[in-house]
Amino acid sequence: MSGIPKIILGSGKDQSPRRFHPWIFSGAISKISGELADGDVVEVYSNKNEYLCTGHYQKGSIAVRIFSFEQMEPDAAFWKGKIEKAYNYRKAIGIIGNDNTNVYRLVYGEGDGMPGLVIDFYNGTAVLQAHSIGMHREKEKITQALQEIYGASLKAVYDKSKESLSDRYGEKIMNGYLFGDDKEKQVLENGNKIRVDWEEGQKTGFFIDQRENRKLVGQYAKNKKVLDCFCYAGGFSVYALKAGATEVHSVDSSKAAMKLTDDNIRLNFGESAKQTSHVADAFDFLKDHQNEYDVMIIDPPAFAKHRDARHQAMMGYKRLNALAIQGIKPGGIIFTFSCSQVVDKYLFHGAITAAAIETGRTVRILQYLSQPADHPISIYHPEGEYLKGMVLFVE
Ligand code: SAH
């Protein structure tokens, strides 16, 4: 199409986009025609000059993040169509229009055909987080689309891209409202009240991806003493208490996270809840509290953000889970997770097996867990699967 710069791929390098994989790696490029700057929209062609796809260009290992495999102009109508599709998908799976839950992921990057973009919906406020400068430059069109699709039910759009984008693109990335304002900051997840702080909190404010797994913890928590390790805003703790846990201990190394947990416990149960908060390192806490808990949740931050950190991460998962398996009461249940994208489910399984072997205890796998349907994985982009969990029964 005229006006849009072109990238020509090397011989045979067209196979990946023909299989709808959404990234073009820099090594696949043979020629760039015209001036190309970070964030520009670019069309990608085969070495026989056949159109393949359109995406955002950015210098780096992933050179193009593809948002269309059909030739088009990425105008306001195009982005509205994309967001509408994401919206309709969530309506179809029952996450939009749900009386008990008004917090969900509206756009999950590649899983929704919008690489570099995350939009989380918090009871009327859409929190947008761009992971590519090209997507960040589409934010006004996206905000307009959100307003048109949600109408009066959209109170605000907040841009939380400061942490996900560096300033090297020549513009200062600042967090702030693109539309409206929302001081209430309270959502409902499976009927539980949660206070979300998208301005000061981690990521977009809350870990929406654990919604189904929290519900499952509820099924195992009745009359149990529960440890919620790496609790952040206390989501798992709230579900465990709601389900009738005798006592819940919540642990996080961040004071700010513990304050969110305290707020959420109070919000749901008042002052008399059988729960205590501990600002502590989870490894130390586990060492100091052996043979005390019936149920444990182990939900650490990503130990590896890049491939070169994978070995260290594996050692970390092994050490952490060995402490949990060693320390849990006989007949106890452990919910253990990894959100490192570069540690896949097979590697994670290996780390847990190694941890179990180290303790010598009898361990059975009750269930494998993953991310919920509002974090969809494109079949052509298996890298989109990042959250893995296992439920273990320890004798
Ligand atoms: N389980 C949470 C999400 C956990 S995110 C939920 O359901 O919402 C990971 C959390 O681990 C963060 O809140 C971070 O502050 C905390 N953290 C990181 N390193 C830690 C450590 N060594 N000990 C305890 N908490 C830690």
Side-chain angles (χ1 to χ4, degrees):
M1 212 176 272
S2 63
I4 298 183
K6 271 190 185 183
I7 275 181
I8 317 286
L9 300 184
S11 165
K13 302 294 186 192
D14 55 335
Q15 285 309 313
S16 165
R18 285 195 199 280
R19 275 187 251 114
F20 304 114
H21 191 276
W23 299 337
I24 302 287
F25 289 99
S26 57
I29 298 173
S30 97
K31 212 172 100 193
I32 294 177
S33 77
E35 284 291 302
L36 207 49
D38 283 329
D40 284 354
V41 170
V42 67
E43 288 189 344
V44 180
Y45 289 76
S46 73
N47 67 336
K48 298 192 182 72
N49 209 30
E50 300 150 310
Y51 169 87
L52 295 168
C53 56
T54 306
H56 288 124
Y57 175 78
Q58 190 165 313
K59 264 184 221 81
S61 156
I62 302 172
V64 184
R65 288 173 170 81
I66 301 164
F67 51 73
S68 181
F69 292 92
E70 282 166 32
Q71 213 164 8
M72 41 44 102
E73 199 74 53
D75 54 10
F78 170 79
W79 289 110
K80 186 179 172 191
K82 283 273 193 191
I83 305 276
E84 213 154 35
K85 210 166 158 188
Y87 180 90
N88 288 336
Y89 163 80
R90 279 144 185 94
K91 227 172 156 176
I93 61 169
I95 191 76
I96 293 183
N98 184 315
D99 289 343
N100 296 317
T101 298
N102 54 30
V103 48
Y104 53 85
R105 180 152 289 190
L106 175 69
V107 174
Y108 173 52
E110 287 82 358
D112 283 290
M114 289 177 261
L117 182 66
V118 162
I119 301 178
D120 286 339
F121 189 84
Y122 293 110
N123 185 20
T125 293
V127 179
L128 173 158
Q129 189 162 68
H131 293 262
S132 74
I133 190 66
M135 213 40 113
H136 196 245
R137 290 188 191 147
E138 311 288 359
K139 62 185 183 300
E140 278 81 22
K141 286 180 213 151
I142 289 164
T143 301
Q144 188 190 329
L146 289 168
Q147 286 178 278
E148 286 171 17
I149 293 163
Y150 280 97
S153 54
L154 187 73
K155 287 184 274 186
V157 178
Y158 188 76
D159 179 12
K160 183 81 187 286
S161 303
K162 190 176 181 323
E163 291 80 6
S164 58
L165 282 176
S166 77
D167 284 338
R168 71 185 158 106
Y169 304 108
E171 50 199 87
K172 192 114 190 90
I173 311 285
M174 303 280 278
N175 291 337
Y177 286 95
L178 299 169
F179 156 72
D181 189 356
D182 181 5
K183 299 213 161 43
E184 194 191 353
K185 296 196 177 71
Q186 194 177 307
V187 301
L188 208 56
E189 189 189 80
N190 288 319
N192 295 305
K193 293 178 212 150
I194 309 278
R195 207 178 86 77
V196 178
D197 190 350
W198 49 80
E199 293 180 40
E200 301 300 328
Q202 298 181 26
K203 303 282 169 100
T204 67
F206 189 57
F207 293 88
I208 299 172
D209 54 3
Q210 291 285 26
R211 179 180 59 241
E212 302 301 326
N213 301 329
R214 288 186 192 113
K215 204 169 162 180
L216 191 66
V217 162
Q219 290 180 22
Y220 287 101
K222 195 172 163 66
N223 297 329
K224 300 283 167 64
K225 184 163 178 181
V226 178
L227 174 64
D228 180 4
C229 258
F230 308 92
C231 66
Y232 183 51
F236 283 106
S237 301
V238 168
Y239 279 63
L241 281 171
K242 183 68 78 68
T246 50
E247 206 179 332
V248 175
H249 291 175
S250 319
V251 177
D252 199 288
S253 57
S254 151
K255 260 192 191 153
M258 270 344 301
K259 187 174 172 321
L260 285 173
T261 295
D262 291 343
D263 284 354
N264 285 324
I265 299 291
R266 215 173 299 125
L267 194 61
N268 287 277
F269 310 102
E271 300 293 339
S272 58
K274 289 195 167 53
Q275 180 272 354
T276 51
S277 288
H278 307 262
V279 178
D281 175 76
F283 289 82
D284 293 341
F285 193 91
L286 283 167
K287 269 181 224 151
D288 296 343
H289 294 78
Q290 302 264 314
N291 207 23
E292 184 174 338
Y293 302 102
D294 307 298
V295 174
M296 284 183 187
I297 298 110
I298 308 289
D299 184 24
F303 283 167
K305 298 225 162 76
H306 302 285
R307 271 177 178 270
D308 35 353
R310 209 156 52 168
H311 179 69
Q312 273 305 107
M314 292 291 286
M315 310 277 279
Y317 288 122
K318 182 184 158 199
R319 198 160 67 85
L320 177 63
N321 284 282
L323 285 170
I325 295 169
Q326 184 62 53
I328 198 153
K329 276 179 145 177
I333 289 178
I334 301 175
F335 286 73
T336 183
F337 297 97
S338 159
C339 60
S340 305
Q341 196 182 46
V342 294
V343 174
D344 67 18
K345 55 187 165 201
Y346 307 105
L347 282 177
F348 184 57
H349 187 280
I352 303 304
T353 306
I357 290 169
E358 194 177 296
T359 66
R361 292 185 74 172
T362 303
V363 179
R364 276 181 274 181
I365 300 159
L366 270 62
Q367 222 171 313
Y368 291 99
L369 307 175
S370 181
Q371 61 212 56
D374 54 340
H375 295 60
I377 304 154
S378 159
I379 205 142
Y380 307 114
H381 181 253
E383 298 91 329
E385 180 175 3
Y386 69 97
L387 183 61
K388 304 144 297 277
M390 288 166 78
V391 189
L392 308 174
F393 184 92
V394 184
E395 280 177 34

